[in-house]
Amino acid sequence: MSILNMNNPIGFFDSGVGGLTVLKEVKKTLPNEDFIYFGDTLHVPYGDKTKEELIDYSKNILKFLEKKGCKAVVMACNTTSSTIYEDIKDKYNFKLYPVVQSVAKILAGLDIERMGIFATKATIASGAYSKEILKFNSKMQVFGQYCPNWVRIVENNLSNNIESVSIIKSDLERMLSNAPQKIVLGCTHYPYLLPVLTKFVSKDLFIDPAEYLAQFVKDDLVKSGLTKNSNTPHFEEFYVSANPDKFKTGAKVFYEVDNVSEIIF
Ligand code: DGL
């Protein structure tokens, strides 16, 4: 079967449970599609890794998703989208959707002047959000801020612990000193922390790019004649590179994952 077959699955990958926030939105937008998710839990957090390491991990994951016959792969990870997408984008036959580049135009079109971005160290260091947004709106002021502990808090299910709440509050206060009109959750793990963030400020202040990304994926698949048209029952498969039980528990807040298989490359 050719890879670009409309009835083949859509792949997703991230360093862990974060990409499930994207899968959830894509599933709402394209409920009939089949999904294969890979969480690279052996190497989480990606935000502290070098470009070479991220290229290395992504190569194995993308080869795996290619073998699974994915017609498209959603890079449900801001860190890889920001740092390595340009290096790898032409190496695969499937459609590849990086989160940052896919949502930048919509973010740039919002009627605001001051936008905050919460993201990982690597995403902020790459400057990808500012670069991509400024391509469409040179007047937007973009304030990027790295949140060193947030991925660890999410992966270890520690968001309700007192120490975590105080870390999140102090990171939020630092961002608020820039007076942003909106704050983008520029790491797919961060929507897990909305219950904590919204103890201090209104939910309306935050943008989860997953919704925009899901619409972008849908529009592009429709335009390319690649949406599923068979009546076979919908399926979802989940794979991780370590700790499947921890993944299942961590995912619970956002997504009910039944079966997770461990794959070692
Ligand atoms: N969830 C990913 C992102 O959107 C990676 C976070 C990490 O592992 O540091 O950037």
Side-chain angles (χ1 to χ4, degrees):
M1 200 175 349
S2 138
I3 281 184
L4 284 184
N5 181 313
M6 59 174 64
N7 292 319
N8 282 13
I10 302 175
F12 292 77
F13 85 93
D14 181 42
S15 61
V17 294
L20 294 171
T21 60
V22 176
L23 171 56
K24 190 170 172 174
E25 288 302 325
V26 174
K27 189 175 172 181
K28 268 193 222 159
T29 318
L30 291 162
N32 193 35
E33 296 288 336
D34 300 316
F35 303 123
I36 299 185
Y37 185 93
F38 190 93
D40 193 6
T41 45
L42 184 64
H43 300 120
V44 67
Y46 271 10
D48 299 342
K49 302 291 187 296
T50 63
K51 186 170 172 177
E52 290 68 34
E53 285 170 319
L54 294 172
I55 289 181
D56 206 38
Y57 307 150
S58 301
K59 252 193 224 156
N60 288 329
I61 298 166
L62 291 169
K63 212 188 295 160
F64 170 74
L65 294 172
E66 190 169 53
K67 274 202 196 122
K68 285 272 177 191
C70 292
K71 63 183 173 189
V73 172
V74 180
M75 232 186 206
C77 172
N78 292 265
T79 304
T80 49
S81 303
S82 300
T83 55
I84 64 165
Y85 170 68
E86 291 299 330
D87 296 84
I88 63 166
K89 65 180 197 279
D90 300 321
K91 301 202 162 120
Y92 301 91
N93 291 324
F94 44 67
K95 293 252 174 194
L96 191 56
Y97 299 113
V99 51
V100 180
Q101 294 81 346
S102 306
V103 304
K105 190 173 176 186
I106 303 178
L107 294 177
L110 297 177
D111 190 18
I112 59 168
E113 284 161 12
R114 304 172 70 82
M115 180 173 290
I117 311 281
F118 277 143
T120 65
K121 187 176 173 185
T123 300
I124 296 299
S126 75
Y129 264 104
S130 317
K131 263 184 247 156
E132 295 297 325
I133 290 172
L134 295 180
K135 275 185 198 168
F136 301 102
N137 180 353
S138 57
K139 294 208 177 88
M140 184 85 82
Q141 286 190 66
V142 180
F143 305 93
Q145 184 182 316
Y146 148 49
C147 306
N149 294 292
W150 291 19
V151 170
R152 177 185 60 80
I153 291 170
V154 172
E155 283 292 326
N156 293 293
N157 223 356
L158 294 173
S159 62
N160 290 321
N161 141 333
I162 295 176
E163 194 201 336
S164 307
V165 173
S166 130
I167 290 172
I168 295 163
K169 182 168 180 260
S170 115
D171 287 334
L172 176 62
E173 281 166 355
R174 190 146 65 88
M175 171 58 88
L176 293 177
S177 68
N178 299 310
Q181 291 158 289
K182 291 280 177 193
I183 303 173
V184 175
L185 299 174
C187 167
T188 54
H189 281 74
Y190 295 176
Y192 283 81
L193 300 176
L194 275 170
V196 181
L197 290 163
T198 54
K199 281 187 212 280
F200 308 109
V201 285
S202 157
K203 190 165 192 267
D204 294 345
L205 183 60
F206 299 102
I207 296 175
D208 176 359
E211 215 178 292
Y212 300 150
L213 177 58
Q215 194 56 48
F216 183 91
V217 171
K218 180 177 178 182
D219 291 347
D220 193 68
L221 288 177
V222 168
K223 197 174 74 196
S224 314
L226 281 173
T227 45
K228 182 175 168 187
N229 75 347
S230 83
N231 291 324
T232 51
H234 161 80
F235 78 80
E236 291 173 17
E237 290 175 11
F238 297 89
Y239 299 90
V240 291
S241 47
N243 306 318
D245 290 336
K246 188 174 167 193
F247 177 85
K248 252 168 109 168
T249 314
K252 259 202 182 84
V253 181
F254 241 91
Y255 209 92
E256 204 52 54
V257 177
D258 291 332
N259 282 303
V260 189
S261 308
E262 187 172 347
I263 299 267
I264 296 163
F265 297 121

